[in-house]
Amino acid sequence: GEIDMDIRAAASAAAAGLRIVDGVRMLGPSLSKLCELTNPCGIASATEANKGPPESTIASALCISLHRSTVKNCSKTLENLARSIQLDPLDGRKHRPADARVATVSSDVVHAIRLITPFTSAYKSVSKRRALPWDPNVGESSGEMDTFIRFLVKQLIISLQGKAQNYKNDGGVDAQAKSNVFMMNNTFYLLELLGPVEGVEEQPADDCRIQAPWFTTKISKIFDSEKAKYL
């Protein structure tokens, strides 16, 4: 069955899954090399000739099996991360602060993106072989890490908008203002922590900021819209 977990736990599991995929990708050449060393002349022994495939074939089959299972397990951790954001509650003091400050879900998603962003090659290894809900293509036409990040941000925005609507549903003279301020606070936070640093052409490699134009465009548009409503 499906396992529900909080966003930070799901992000840690996804990062671990991607790290394992990276490790298995490196294991294949090592196993092949090991088989060459055990039989440097390439001559099949009597045991090999009479009882089954050579070690190189066994090693190859083992690598393929390991890779398939790790890719499958990793894809599940990525799906669980996306689901954990989708299922973040819309109410409750922790999830929808009374003073409309930055929600926990925003800091959790920033943390998640920072954890998984370094594993671009591992993600591509998964997306090439598994059809994912946000990336149904496989093979060379499959998406890059940015496709997944974009989907996570989309789920975050949907969650924030649901929480913002609940401020309006609370009623009161400041209900609309709280809704607008909540969205402004959260989108500003996302731009500050994940948007590219202005005036810096080359961002630090380990900064894990989203350089793609879609992010700044999308989040800035929401911020400006909520600001206009508030003023």
Side-chain angles (χ1 to χ4, degrees):
E2 294 182 356
I3 300 174
D4 294 337
M5 61 177 76
D6 67 53
I7 296 169
R8 288 189 176 240
S12 295
L18 290 166
R19 187 182 295 276
I20 292 169
V21 169
D22 258 347
V24 171
R25 286 172 59 238
M26 299 299 292
L27 183 63
S30 299
L31 272 179
S32 297
K33 190 67 178 175
L34 185 62
C35 290
E36 289 175 16
L37 291 174
T38 58
N39 193 0
C41 298
I43 301 171
S45 65
T47 304
E48 291 173 330
N50 297 329
K51 293 194 174 181
E55 288 127 333
S56 59
T57 305
I58 296 171
S60 177
L62 177 60
C63 287
I64 292 170
S65 177
L66 277 172
H67 194 259
R68 281 178 178 167
S69 62
T70 52
V71 163
K72 180 180 179 181
N73 291 336
C74 184
S75 71
K76 290 297 181 185
T77 66
L78 298 177
E79 290 176 27
N80 285 340
L81 173 55
R83 190 180 301 112
S84 69
I85 299 170
Q86 292 168 342
L87 297 179
D88 190 72
L90 299 182
D91 274 312
R93 186 178 300 175
K94 175 184 175 183
H95 306 284
R96 186 169 69 93
D99 58 1
R101 66 182 183 275
V102 174
T104 303
V105 67
S106 291
S107 61
D108 286 349
V109 172
V110 168
H111 175 74
I113 289 173
R114 287 176 170 172
L115 278 184
I116 64 174
T117 294
F119 300 103
T120 53
S121 297
Y123 177 82
K124 185 66 175 180
S125 186
V126 173
S127 67
K128 282 173 68 175
R129 293 164 177 82
R130 302 282 296 185
L132 300 164
W134 56 88
D135 186 10
N137 295 325
V138 294
E140 293 305 319
S141 61
S142 62
E144 306 288 343
M145 176 66 82
D146 184 67
T147 304
F148 184 44
I149 299 298
R150 194 166 188 163
F151 183 75
L152 296 184
V153 171
K154 179 183 177 182
Q155 300 312 308
L156 170 60
I157 295 303
I158 291 171
S159 178
L160 292 174
Q161 289 171 336
K163 292 172 172 62
Q165 180 60 46
N166 280 351
Y167 283 110
K168 297 179 189 178
N169 297 342
D170 288 342
V173 293
D174 62 346
Q176 179 65 56
K178 271 190 173 181
S179 176
N180 300 141
V181 169
F182 174 75
M183 290 302 294
M184 288 166 60
N185 282 339
N186 282 274
T187 50
F188 183 79
Y189 172 83
L190 294 174
L191 287 169
E192 284 290 292
L193 270 71
L194 292 179
V197 179
E198 292 186 11
V200 180
E201 289 187 11
E202 289 192 22
Q203 307 291 332
D206 59 349
D207 201 26
C208 297
R209 290 177 178 268
I210 302 173
Q211 305 299 328
W214 66 263
F215 178 76
T216 303
T217 301
K218 182 180 183 68
I219 305 302
S220 295
K221 185 177 180 180
I222 296 172
F223 176 85
D224 292 340
S225 173
E226 297 295 335
K227 182 180 177 182
K229 293 174 190 174
Y230 179 72
L231 297 177

